[in-house]
Amino acid sequence: MQYDWIIVGAGMTGAVAARTLAEAGKNVLILEKREHIAGNAYDELDDAGVLIHRYGPHIFHTNDEEVWQFLSRFTEWRTYRHKVLAEIDGEYMPVPFNLNSMVIAFGFRKAEQMKKALFEKYGEGNDVSITELRSAEEPLLCELAEFVYENVFKYYTVKQWGVKPEDIDPAVTARVPVRLSKVNGYFTDKYQGMPADGYTAMFASMLDHPAITVRLNTDARDLLTFSEGKLLFEGAPFGGKVLYTGPLDELFGYAFGRLPYRSLDFKFETLKKEYAQLCGTVNYTVSEDYTRITEFKHLTGQKCPVTTIMKEYSKSCGEEDIPYYPVANEGSLALYARYLAEAEKYPALVLGGRLGEFRYYNMDAAAASALRLCRKHL
Ligand code: FAD
Ligand code: UDP
């Protein structure tokens, strides 16, 4: 079979691109080194029959109409609004920190005063990043900012990134703003939900096309050779294009050094009770060495007499670890740019996805990027 495209990785980026290219008449081969499709969104039944996410909790949310319509061709959706609580010294407060959290933290009277000051400065209903709130000068807002910084962001961020909030890209903490409303959901996107039969089923449906071939358990580095501007597939020159969604430093043998990523250890526990916690995720923002506990049944709506929870432990990504989060800073972006310059020597090579583009993409952003790059190359 003559392939027009080889796609490395069967995650969101690879799958969306594969389907789009196949529907445009291209023959696509996907190489996936894992034993399954769906990348980090992969879900499966555990030994107790509970539907779990092997690589961390995934909740779909987007404002992107095109992405929503595209994915909705391959799945029905379970309506689900993800709720997160922070456990702070025995109290549970909604995250993002909002007007309800403020009443729990400060009591009704003081919370009312703070609310007034917040509305005057930032406007009712708006979101404010912790970085912005910390620059406020009004004493009441300083007190609020200090509380939220100390109790929601500081320790969680140190656990997750190994450094304090002020030492990472402010866009990272801005993902979880302080919300000047009583809306308790984690996300505010127009479309939010979980694939009704799970992510793996959605991906299987997306990849079910006569022009798509998927080879699992196949590391692309064993079949593709990039050398001196030439691209070989199984030892012979390849005339098509390659979309690579893995880590760019790995593709070039770490020639310029390793790009920094954070990795995670996941600890799953099945408990003999119907539910273990109040909502989908509880963040441990002032205690414990894991960042959060997710209970999948809240996300999936599955009914069964037992439940499975998962704790996430963050760590720097070593040689044997899976790179989950690109760490963006001046140095890493400069290093990525060097790899990018190397990649540009191969006109047939297209980079995509959270690892290939070294960007902190949510699933919808990965899908949007895949659709964009297909438009560009078709
Ligand atoms: P991936 O899903 O990582 O897929 C890349 C694939 O390429 C992998 O399957 C990998 O095995 C394969 N690959 C790599 N190198 C090679 C090689 N050499 N040969 C063959 N195959 C290779 N997003 C949300 O929208 N909502 C959430 O709730 C959410 N929660 C998350 C929680 C965690 C803990 C993490 C880590 C991420 C979360 N995300 C979430 C982000 C989401 O996982 C990504 O946006 C999405 O997976 C990106 O898709 P991708 O295809 O770019 O990458
Ligand atoms: N964050 C925090 N406390 C929280 C939630 C988030 O400090 O209770 C910070 C932390 O730095 C985290 C970032 O905000 O890495 C983004 O959080 P998000 O939940 O979006 O992370 P993800 O789900 O991608 O791991």
Side-chain angles (χ1 to χ4, degrees):
M1 161 84 79
Q2 193 72 24
Y3 295 110
D4 303 301
W5 280 79
I6 294 174
I7 295 182
V8 180
M12 183 62 86
T13 308
V16 168
R19 182 73 190 207
T20 308
L21 294 167
E23 287 179 354
K26 307 292 179 195
N27 271 323
V28 181
L29 172 66
I30 300 186
L31 306 176
E32 170 54 62
K33 69 178 171 192
R34 293 175 177 168
E35 79 281 12
H36 59 74
I37 57 169
N40 287 341
Y42 176 69
D43 55 13
E44 61 183 339
L45 295 179
D46 68 9
D47 291 343
V50 181
L51 185 61
I52 56 144
H53 298 177
R54 195 193 283 182
Y55 307 99
H58 280 69
I59 299 100
F60 190 79
H61 56 102
T62 191
N63 286 317
D64 189 321
E65 193 73 38
E66 186 187 15
V67 166
W68 178 255
Q69 296 304 339
F70 183 87
L71 294 179
S72 298
R73 292 172 51 206
F74 309 107
T75 187
E76 301 283 317
W77 296 94
R78 156 180 152 77
T79 304
Y80 171 68
R81 299 250 153 186
H82 192 47
K83 294 227 165 49
V84 178
L85 292 169
E87 203 269 8
I88 301 172
D89 302 327
E91 301 260 34
Y92 289 93
M93 295 183 203
V95 179
F97 195 91
N98 63 18
L99 299 182
N100 298 323
S101 323
M102 220 156 68
V103 173
I104 300 170
F106 293 99
F108 184 74
R109 281 187 60 171
K110 192 158 199 179
E112 277 297 301
Q113 292 166 351
M114 285 174 164
K115 183 170 97 177
K116 200 162 158 268
L118 283 168
F119 286 2
E120 262 167 32
K121 191 166 174 81
Y122 304 107
E124 181 173 352
N126 286 330
D127 288 345
V128 190
S129 73
I130 185 61
T131 313
E132 193 179 355
L133 189 60
R134 287 187 86 204
S135 69
E137 282 163 8
E138 296 82 343
L140 261 182
L141 296 185
C142 288
E143 188 183 342
L144 173 66
E146 184 63 11
F147 178 89
V148 177
Y149 174 79
E150 288 292 331
N151 289 286
V152 179
F153 285 97
K154 193 167 89 179
Y155 183 52
Y156 187 103
T157 299
V158 167
K159 284 190 282 189
Q160 176 70 10
W161 297 98
V163 290
K164 286 195 188 148
E166 52 272 35
D167 298 326
I168 58 173
D169 178 354
V172 172
T173 47
R175 288 166 60 92
V176 183
V178 173
R179 207 178 269 163
L180 309 195
S181 76
K182 292 186 175 171
V183 177
N184 276 342
Y186 204 58
F187 307 112
T188 51
D189 303 59
K190 179 172 177 195
Y191 301 110
Q192 302 181 36
M194 300 291 289
D197 299 318
Y199 287 98
T200 307
M202 177 179 83
F203 276 78
S205 164
M206 212 183 322
L207 295 174
D208 181 16
H209 187 285
I212 300 176
T213 306
V214 182
R215 276 199 221 166
L216 298 177
N217 301 304
T218 307
D219 192 323
R221 288 171 301 165
D222 296 336
L223 301 183
L224 291 171
T225 313
F226 292 83
S227 180
E228 293 172 359
K230 294 201 182 63
L231 176 51
L232 307 180
F233 174 54
E234 293 180 320
F238 179 63
K241 290 202 162 153
V242 171
L243 167 60
Y244 178 78
T245 74
L248 194 53
D249 52 348
E250 186 180 90
L251 184 66
F252 292 114
Y254 308 103
F256 309 124
R258 284 180 179 267
L259 286 166
Y261 307 95
R262 296 294 288 179
S263 189
L264 296 168
D265 285 328
F266 301 114
K267 190 167 166 231
F268 293 88
E269 283 170 56
T270 299
L271 306 167
K272 287 190 180 137
K273 50 174 146 179
E274 207 177 346
Y275 285 100
Q277 63 185 30
L278 291 167
C279 61
T281 298
V282 176
N283 286 358
Y284 288 82
T285 55
V286 293
S287 65
E288 314 306 336
D289 45 7
Y290 43 85
T291 51
R292 57 188 177 188
I293 299 183
T294 296
E295 182 174 22
F296 295 103
K297 281 170 66 182
H298 290 286
L299 278 57
T300 59
Q302 192 183 4
K303 302 277 176 239
C304 58
V306 297
T307 191
T308 300
I309 59 166
M310 188 194 68
K311 294 175 180 162
E312 288 175 55
Y313 298 83
S314 176
K315 61 184 184 183
S316 169
C317 186
E319 288 184 21
E320 301 300 316
D321 300 319
I322 298 178
Y324 287 112
Y325 293 86
V327 178
N329 55 40
E330 222 176 289
S332 68
L333 294 177
L335 183 55
Y336 179 80
R338 285 187 75 187
Y339 282 110
L340 202 55
E342 191 61 23
E344 278 163 6
K345 293 180 185 162
Y346 300 87
L349 176 61
V350 179
L351 301 172
R354 180 147 149 149
L355 297 170
E357 294 178 59
F358 200 64
R359 296 180 73 155
Y360 192 169
Y361 278 154
N362 290 328
M363 286 182 282
D364 65 327
S369 161
L371 291 172
R372 247 190 337 266
L373 72 84
C374 288
R375 257 196 298 275
K376 184 171 161 201
H377 290 275
L378 277 169

